Amino acid sequence: TSHTLLFDLEDGCRQKEMSRELLRRELPGLPRKREVQVAVRINPFRTEEYEKDLALIRDLPECFDAVMLAKAGEAYGAPEIRDLSAVLVGLNHRITIQPIIEHPKSLKIAPELMQYATVKHVVFGIHDFSKAMGIQTRAGVHTGEVELVPGNVRGVAVHLAARIMAQAGPSEVLVSGTT
């Protein structure tokens, strides 16, 4: 089993500089296990915050396994990945890039993004996709035992998750107290 520890510096991160300083201080001392990958989600290409995120990666290249680029290709296309790849390979050849495509119009460049050796897969941001297409999403999360049946699951936990989801508003995720 493999796990990813993700540090998100993009959009919703309101204290970006404080987060970067915390990572600079704490990541070098973080005990590393082979089955745990450390990733950082950085701001869109060629923005001021992107440059600050790259400075963090330059300071700690051995601490990161993956860099997730938000809004990949939306401004400059595949050259964003080319340029980021060149930087990362020079720092640590093990770092991979996980471009995050966040708009349906960017789907057409996914094959171009995959041409670089540093890219293992492309991530699709379903929240932004659904928003762009006028589809409202909601989710309910609950943990518990389920019964696996061909092509489906059933059980009390499934029903509770559905009821929790029904209480969620558009673009909202509700999580039960037992989860």
Side-chain angles (χ1 to χ4, degrees):
T1 302
S2 182
H3 302 282
T4 301
L5 180 59
L6 172 63
F7 297 100
D8 190 350
L9 297 176
E10 199 261 337
D11 278 352
C13 179
R14 302 211 190 288
Q15 299 292 329
K16 292 179 174 142
E17 200 53 47
M18 184 175 72
S19 296
R20 287 185 198 101
E21 287 310 311
L22 177 69
L23 291 173
R24 278 188 179 91
R25 189 175 65 239
E26 299 297 328
L27 272 182
L30 183 73
R32 294 295 301 263
K33 294 184 177 184
R34 184 173 295 159
E35 66 274 4
V36 177
Q37 172 177 277
V38 176
V40 61
R41 181 178 183 205
I42 64 173
N43 288 277
F45 190 71
R46 289 193 180 159
T47 61
E48 184 178 327
E49 294 297 330
Y50 171 87
E51 296 302 328
K52 292 177 182 178
D53 295 343
L54 271 188
L56 170 69
I57 296 165
R58 283 186 179 104
D59 290 346
L60 305 169
E62 296 302 318
C63 293
F64 295 107
D65 300 300
V67 172
M68 301 179 80
L69 177 61
K71 297 175 179 55
E74 287 185 19
Y76 302 98
E80 294 180 14
I81 302 303
R82 178 199 63 211
D83 293 358
L84 181 56
S85 290
V87 170
L88 296 178
V89 166
L91 297 172
N92 178 348
H93 70 279
R94 292 181 312 106
I95 299 177
T96 62
I97 300 173
Q98 297 178 12
I100 304 171
I101 294 179
E102 301 186 33
H103 197 278
K105 70 178 180 168
S106 300
L107 274 174
K108 64 181 178 258
I109 68 165
E112 293 175 53
L113 301 178
M114 293 295 297
Q115 72 179 315
Y116 300 98
T118 52
V119 177
K120 302 299 180 215
H121 60 271
V122 175
V123 178
F124 297 94
I126 190 66
H127 173 71
D128 291 324
F129 264 73
S130 60
K131 224 170 34 174
M133 297 172 69
I135 300 169
Q136 294 183 337
T137 58
R138 63 187 76 220
V141 180
H142 178 74
T143 54
E145 291 186 30
V146 297
E147 180 185 354
L148 298 175
V149 295
N152 210 344
V153 291
R154 60 182 173 207
V156 173
V158 175
H159 295 289
L160 287 172
R163 288 188 176 160
I164 292 165
M165 180 191 68
Q167 297 300 310
S171 301
E172 188 174 43
V173 177
L174 293 182
V175 181
S176 75
T178 60
T179 299

